[in-house]
Amino acid sequence: MATLCGLGFFTAMPGTVGSVAAFLVFAFYPVPLAGILAVVILGVWASHRYSLKEGKTDPAEVIIDEVAGTWISMYGLPSGFFLPALFLFRIFDILKPFPVNASEKLPGGWGIMADDIVAGILVNSILSVIRWLYFGGGWSFLF
């Protein structure tokens, strides 16, 4: 489960592969909030067990965290924002700006999952503000 049935082993860029797989699922079937929460809970458990088994703190092949982060970044947005959400999520996940970098310091599976969850929340917030400003009358509300 942590490696998405071994998908995390197929390339030198497992995070990108996991994010693209999550993007494709969400693009055809927008996952409800309950599904995202289930993946987060199962991801914490599975990634913690896998990291203990392998003796690594954040194994690269664990990509269930990318699924949760990608889905969070896309959640509640119109489909025209899905691709920008994917790209922004990957940028935040790779560069790890604050508070993304701080959240990955949590212990065990929480640390593995938390940086992607925080990155997803940041991306979703940024795109929601852009949507409101440009398509929801935000500029007219402000001025």
Side-chain angles (χ1 to χ4, degrees), residues 44-120:
V44 169
W45 174 79
S47 62
H48 179 71
R49 288 189 45 117
Y50 186 87
S51 68
L52 288 177
K53 183 182 128 216
E54 295 298 314
K56 302 175 186 174
T57 56
D58 191 359
E61 63 271 16
V62 171
I63 56 175
I64 194 165
D65 52 337
E66 269 76 19
V67 172
T70 301
W71 286 354
I72 290 168
S73 70
M74 298 168 71
Y75 181 76
L77 295 171
S79 60
F81 282 77
F82 288 177
L83 198 55
L86 172 66
F87 284 115
L88 273 178
F89 173 73
R90 290 306 303 146
I91 289 168
F92 276 54
D93 190 32
I94 292 166
L95 297 180
K96 298 197 187 304
F98 182 81
V100 176
N101 61 355
S103 64
E104 72 179 344
K105 293 179 174 85
L106 292 170
W110 286 108
I112 294 170
M113 296 292 292
D115 64 321
D116 295 283
I117 292 168
V118 172

Side-chain angles (χ1 to χ4, degrees), residues 1 5 7 10 14 18 20 22 30 42 54 85 101 109 117 120 125 139:
M1 185 181 329
C5 299
L7 190 60
F10 285 127
V20 169
L42 290 172
E54 295 298 314
N101 61 355
I117 292 168
S125 299
W139 284 118

